[in-house]
Amino acid sequence: MQQLQNHSGSGMVTVPKDFLDRDELLDDDGDPVDAHLTVDRLGERAYVVRVCDGDVPELSECEFIKRIAAERVLNEDAFGRQQGE
């Protein structure tokens, strides 16, 4: 679990190094490369951090967000209730 830290009045959190390594965001020395990131607020206490290479697509165009939405729809009945309720 990461710790929210104060950085000049803004919240700061680190991205685990193994995540950066998986996404090829470390240089040959194992240090993070220069990259632009964007943070979107999904709702109360929920955020998405994305690495951006130029234009920032809408969250609704993000494949991960589409997959989560589809899973939720598949788990709901015709009235929007979670199955099994």
Side-chain angles (χ1 to χ4, degrees):
M1 183 174 293
Q2 304 298 329
Q3 176 71 36
L4 184 62
Q5 302 170 26
N6 181 7
H7 181 69
S8 301
S10 291
M12 183 176 74
V13 65
T14 58
V15 177
K17 199 166 189 174
D18 59 325
F19 292 179
L20 298 174
D21 187 35
R22 259 186 259 166
D23 293 323
E24 300 178 0
L25 293 170
L26 298 178
D27 63 19
D28 292 337
D29 296 324
D31 296 321
V33 298
D34 288 333
H36 295 278
L37 289 88
T38 183
V39 178
D40 296 288
R41 184 176 184 272
L42 295 180
E44 186 176 339
R45 297 178 176 234
Y47 306 89
V48 173
V49 177
R50 296 183 286 163
V51 178
C52 303
D53 298 323
D55 292 334
V56 180
E58 293 293 324
L59 273 176
S60 61
E61 297 302 316
C62 178
E63 288 302 317
F64 182 75
I65 298 297
K66 287 180 180 182
R67 182 170 38 117
I68 291 171
E71 288 173 2
R72 182 169 181 150
V73 168
L74 290 173
N75 288 326
E76 292 178 351
D77 64 16
F79 301 104
R81 295 179 301 218
Q82 291 294 312
Q83 296 203 20
E85 288 183 0

